[in-house]
Amino acid sequence: MPHDLPVILLLAAGEGSRFGGAKQLAPIASEPMVRRMARMLLETGAPVLVVTGAYADEVEAVLDDLPLGLIRCKDWQSGMGHSLAAGVRALVRAFPSASAVFVCLADQPLLDLDMLNTMLQRHTQASERILITTQHGTQGPPALFPRDCFDALAALSGPQGARAIWQQDMSRVDLFESESLLDVDTAEDLQHVRWLLSRTKRTP
């Protein structure tokens, strides 16, 4: 299926060792975190592919009725690099004309839809740029990589993500400041997210 627009790749393959279990399924406003993220990403209008690994059956089950693609990474234990590479290879097969991959994480439930749309809009204006979010000086996903980065992304392995790819070419990187990049790595992080949402009364 050809597609000449960015495709979102949602990484949800991790074991959640620091969390102590399947954090993808942790409920936020009575909804599994991975489903909450997937629904928000679908609101951008871009195609969404989800990479599963640990707890794949359970994670895929809570996404079953959503209009997205599922990619099961058999080597998820090897780390994020393997999961990302598997996702990019599958993306290229499913969307051979995709202009970019927009990498998002399943454990960032406070992400702002407006920021994601701003990044997608920037891609339409400057399709050769690498787009990275940053918070308090820390750079990371969500991150958009144009088509000429696909080979490098598909060759990743082990626990390392795509940081080296953008850091070796900072002259073409646009940074997007965000205040909503809290990763849910621990049970305490989850409680903090729930508390923040209760204060801001965000729509789940």
Side-chain angles (χ1 to χ4, degrees):
M1 176 181 176
H3 200 284
D4 58 359
L5 296 173
V7 176
I8 296 174
L9 193 64
L10 178 62
L11 301 183
E15 185 178 20
S17 56
R18 290 176 59 193
F19 185 80
K23 64 180 177 180
Q24 302 97 319
L25 303 175
I28 297 178
S30 303
E31 182 176 34
M33 181 162 55
V34 66
R35 182 180 174 89
R36 176 189 177 92
M37 284 295 302
R39 282 198 308 104
M40 183 185 67
L41 296 175
L42 286 167
E43 288 184 41
T44 67
V48 175
L49 299 175
V50 182
V51 181
T52 66
Y55 322 108
D57 289 341
E58 297 91 333
V59 171
E60 291 170 8
V62 302
L63 301 173
D64 185 60
D65 63 326
L66 297 179
L68 47 73
L70 295 170
I71 302 159
R72 188 174 292 201
C73 178
K74 297 179 180 179
D75 299 323
W76 62 266
Q77 299 97 328
S78 298
M80 181 182 289
H82 266 75
S83 299
L84 177 53
V88 171
R89 291 193 295 268
L91 182 156
V92 170
R93 291 192 296 270
F95 299 95
S97 299
S99 63
V101 56
F102 198 6
V103 181
C104 297
L105 305 181
D107 63 356
Q108 293 182 330
L110 297 181
L111 275 181
D112 183 76
L113 180 61
D114 289 341
M115 187 196 73
L116 297 176
N117 283 328
T118 297
M119 295 176 73
L120 289 168
Q121 180 62 32
R122 174 59 177 162
H123 174 68
T124 67
Q125 299 165 347
S127 60
E128 78 287 353
R129 305 292 289 175
I130 298 173
L131 312 181
I132 306 294
T133 49
T134 178
Q135 180 169 290
H136 308 311
T138 299
Q139 300 171 9
L144 186 147
F145 297 90
R147 185 178 182 83
D148 65 345
C149 295
F150 284 6
D151 287 347
L153 291 168
L156 290 172
S157 62
Q160 300 304 313
R163 186 176 303 275
I165 294 175
W166 80 72
Q167 287 186 336
Q168 69 186 7
D169 203 2
M170 288 299 294
S171 63
R172 64 186 290 211
V173 170
D174 289 348
L175 297 177
F176 291 77
E177 184 67 33
S178 173
E179 294 298 325
S180 57
L181 295 183
L182 176 62
D183 292 5
V184 176
D185 291 326
T186 66
E188 290 76 17
D189 292 337
L190 178 63
Q191 293 302 321
H192 186 50
V193 164
R194 290 170 172 167
W195 178 77
L196 289 172
L197 289 172
S198 70
R199 284 175 57 86
T200 58
K201 297 182 179 179
R202 286 173 177 251
T203 300

